[in-house]
């Protein structure tokens, strides 16, 4: 049984491409069953089409409001029965219908909780940090506030501008996202408070939620494992 991924994109989709490339190997343990977007005409959708992966577009502007958009997006995602939704450069805040129905991970180009939001690389440069990086985290209802799964640091060079720094971060980010999603698919995960542990835990601590192919039920129902 293969772990099913729905990937959400808004732009160039190089993180999506890294996942598509990784999932060509069966040993990765997961496959991309659909790619969703909030806009047409983006390279991310073209990458999915070239890989023969079904796509769907759910635009905010086609709905009466954010709630209706959230509901429509949740319905389109649900058609593909994902075990995990990956927000990979998806530039919209997900609503409670999507977040209540599926576990969602996001990749962010900064070391959270520093520099959340849509301009993380610009904000890190403006602040003058010497080290920044990327974060893969579970998504909650806040803006880049969900529990951190993995992070990797990237040095800021003296002559960096936003574009050069973002490109270096993205190189690291793609590797980290592939590694984390692969481990979630193969080994599952446990969330205790804000602490996320990949792999099967010997004994789940009180108040933990588990995810993955084995733990899907308890993740979905938010059940407490002892
Ligand atoms: C990534 O750096 C992601 O973290 C940010 O936007 C970028 C998307 O890049 N939110 P791509 O579309 O995967 O190339």
């Amino acid at each position: 049984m293969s772990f099913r991924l729905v990937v959400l994109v808004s732009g160039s989709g190089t993180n999506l491409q890294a996942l598509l490339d990784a999932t060509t190997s069966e040993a990765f343990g997961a496959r991309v069953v659909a790619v969703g977007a909030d806009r047409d005409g983006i390279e991310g959708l073209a990458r999915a089409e070239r890989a023969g992966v079904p796509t769907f577009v759910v635009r905010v502007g086609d709905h009466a409001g954010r709630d209706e958009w959230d509901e429509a997006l949740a319905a389109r995602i649900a058609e593909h029965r994902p075990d995990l939704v990956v927000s990979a450069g998806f530039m919209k805040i997900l609503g409670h219908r999507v977040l209540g129905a599926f576990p969602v991970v996001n990749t962010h180009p900064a070391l959270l909780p520093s520099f959340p939001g849509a301009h993380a690389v610009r904000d890190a440069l403006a602040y003058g940090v010497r080290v920044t990086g990327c974060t893969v985290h579970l998504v909650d209802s806040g803006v880049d506030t969900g529990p951190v799964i993995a992070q990797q640091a990237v040095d800021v060079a003296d002559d960096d501008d936003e574009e050069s720094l973002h490109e270096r971060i993205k190189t690291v980010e793609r590797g980290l996202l592939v590694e984390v999603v692969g481990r979630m698919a193969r080994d599952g995960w446990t969330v205790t408070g804000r602490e996320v542990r990949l792999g099967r835990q010997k004994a789940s601590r009180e108040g933990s939620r588990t995810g993955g192919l084995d733990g899907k039920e308890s993740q979905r129902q938010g059940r407490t494992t002892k």
Side-chain angles (χ1 to χ4, degrees), residues 9-17 44 47 87-91 106-110 117-118 121 134-135 166-167 169-170 173-174:
V9 295
S10 298
S12 63
T14 63
N15 282 283
L16 163 67
Q17 188 67 54
R47 288 177 191 277
S87 158
F90 188 65
M91 302 307 282
N106 179 51
T107 174
H108 181 76
V121 181
C134 53
T135 303
H166 200 174
E167 277 314 311
I169 292 171
K170 281 174 67 170
E173 198 179 3
R174 291 189 282 266

Side-chain angles (χ1 to χ4, degrees), residues 76-127:
R76 296 306 305 272
I77 294 171
E79 288 170 18
H80 301 280
R81 296 176 285 107
D83 297 299
L84 182 67
V85 174
V86 183
S87 158
F90 188 65
M91 302 307 282
K92 291 276 184 305
I93 308 297
L94 293 165
H96 70 276
R97 289 215 172 68
V98 170
L99 297 177
F102 319 99
V104 184
V105 296
N106 179 51
T107 174
H108 181 76
L111 294 175
L112 294 170
S114 293
F115 312 117
H119 305 292
V121 181
R122 190 190 307 171
D123 293 346
L125 268 178
Y127 195 90

Side-chain angles (χ1 to χ4, degrees), residues 88 100 134-135 139 146 160 163 178 182 190 217:
C134 53
T135 303
V139 178
D160 262 332
E163 194 185 336
V178 165
T190 302
E217 277 313 302

Side-chain angles (χ1 to χ4, degrees), residues 115-168:
F115 312 117
H119 305 292
V121 181
R122 190 190 307 171
D123 293 346
L125 268 178
Y127 195 90
V129 293
R130 305 309 309 175
V131 177
T132 183
C134 53
T135 303
V136 178
H137 64 97
L138 289 170
V139 178
D140 65 11
S141 58
V143 178
D144 301 320
T145 52
V148 169
I149 307 172
Q151 296 184 299
Q152 210 163 316
V154 173
D155 286 333
V156 179
D158 286 344
D159 58 354
D160 262 332
D161 58 17
E162 186 178 352
E163 194 185 336
S164 65
L165 180 57
H166 200 174
E167 277 314 311
R168 267 201 338 287

